[in-house]
């Protein structure tokens, strides 16, 4: 069995975005007007998105790596450097996790409670290893959660009163009605919380 690759995509200055069609680049340009480019990194086995205008102007963050929002079990045989994994809750309404792995090692995770019966979701916590902050990782994790609960009523637990936390949440494109810092747990979530040790 060959040794796992060790190439770090962040050493090259890459940032991450969810693998979906974005309207604007990371610098705010309309990609339909500025030019939408793409590429492929064979070592990382990942798509690369690019703003052609940013590239011509040599602006930072002109390119980004695109992370598939499906979890590892949904993309069998993938050799991508960055993959999402999921740890489902033990009971309905319990806390589960979405994890971002770099070459199989967890570098970030998002804890959430989701109830399909009540169509409610609560983001409990977003954690990113310190060496990987400000690379779009938290946003990719949040996108993965929101896509699994499309149309749900979303909220979060309390948000740390730090510049980093405020900057993160201020940059998110959240569904209308999302309550930040005010978790709206459904009866199934409350029942699980009541018996949690």
């Amino acid at each position: 069995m060959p040794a796992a690759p060790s190439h770090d995509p962040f050493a090259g200055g890459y940032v991450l975005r969810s693998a979906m069609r974005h309207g604007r680049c990371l610098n705010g340009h309309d990609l339909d007007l500025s030019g939408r480019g793409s590429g492929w990194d064979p070592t990382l086995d990942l798509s690369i998105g690019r703003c052609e205008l940013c590239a011509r102007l040599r602006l930072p963050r002109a390119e980004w790596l695109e992370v598939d929002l499906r979890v590892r079990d949904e993309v069998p045989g993938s050799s991508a450097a960055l993959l999402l994994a999921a740890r489902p809750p033990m009971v309905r309404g319990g806390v589960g996790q979405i994890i971002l792995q770099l070459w199989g090692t967890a570098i970030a995770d998002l804890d959430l409670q989701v109830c399909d019966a009540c169509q409610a979701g609560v983001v409990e916590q977003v954690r990113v290893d310190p060496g990987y902050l400000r690379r779009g990782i938290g946003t990719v994790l949040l996108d993965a959660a929101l896509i699994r609960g499309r149309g749900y009523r979303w909220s979060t637990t309390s948000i740390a009163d730090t510049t980093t936390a405020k900057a993160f949440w201020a940059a998110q494109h959240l569904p209308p009605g999302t309550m930040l810092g005010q978790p709206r747990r459904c009866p199934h979530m409350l029942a699980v919380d009541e018996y949690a040790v």
Side-chain angles (χ1 to χ4, degrees), residues 109-111 123-128 138-139 141-142 168-169:
D109 58 69
L110 180 143
D111 296 346
V123 176
E124 297 278 332
Q125 188 168 3
V126 181
R127 287 181 297 273
V128 178
T139 299
L141 289 170
L142 186 59
F168 171 75
W169 287 105

Side-chain angles (χ1 to χ4, degrees), residues 182-196:
Q182 299 174 22
R184 294 184 294 183
R185 291 185 173 89
C186 73
H188 300 108
M189 294 175 189
L190 292 171
V192 170
D193 288 347
E194 182 178 327
Y195 297 106

Side-chain angles (χ1 to χ4, degrees), residues 11-22:
Y14 276 124
V15 293
L16 304 186
R17 290 188 98 178
S18 301
M20 59 177 67
R21 188 170 174 86
H22 296 278

Side-chain angles (χ1 to χ4, degrees), residues 44-147:
L44 301 173
D45 195 17
L46 290 169
S47 293
I48 300 170
R50 178 177 48 256
C51 172
E52 297 296 349
L53 178 61
C54 287
R56 284 193 301 275
L57 295 172
R58 296 190 177 141
L59 295 176
R61 299 163 58 101
E63 292 186 330
W64 54 87
L65 292 172
E66 296 185 340
V67 177
D68 192 330
L69 294 181
R70 296 175 296 174
V71 296
R72 181 181 296 275
D73 298 342
E74 298 168 343
V75 283
S78 175
S79 61
L82 293 158
L83 284 172
L84 292 172
R87 216 176 264 139
M90 301 296 275
V91 295
R92 178 172 32 177
V95 177
Q97 274 189 327
I98 298 174
I99 304 152
L100 181 67
Q101 298 174 337
L102 173 60
W103 299 121
T105 300
I107 62 170
D109 58 69
L110 180 143
D111 296 346
L112 71 159
Q113 278 186 290
V114 175
C115 180
D116 295 331
C118 299
Q119 294 198 324
V122 178
V123 176
E124 297 278 332
Q125 188 168 3
V126 181
R127 287 181 297 273
V128 178
D129 286 354
Y132 298 103
L133 292 171
R134 309 289 300 159
R135 300 294 187 139
I137 293 171
T139 299
V140 167
L141 289 170
L142 186 59
D143 287 348
L146 295 175
I147 206 163

Side-chain angles (χ1 to χ4, degrees), residues 146-162:
L146 295 175
I147 206 163
R148 281 162 177 70
R150 187 173 277 139
Y152 284 19
R153 182 188 75 223
W154 283 97
S155 62
T156 73
T157 56
S158 62
I159 295 172
D161 190 18
T162 65

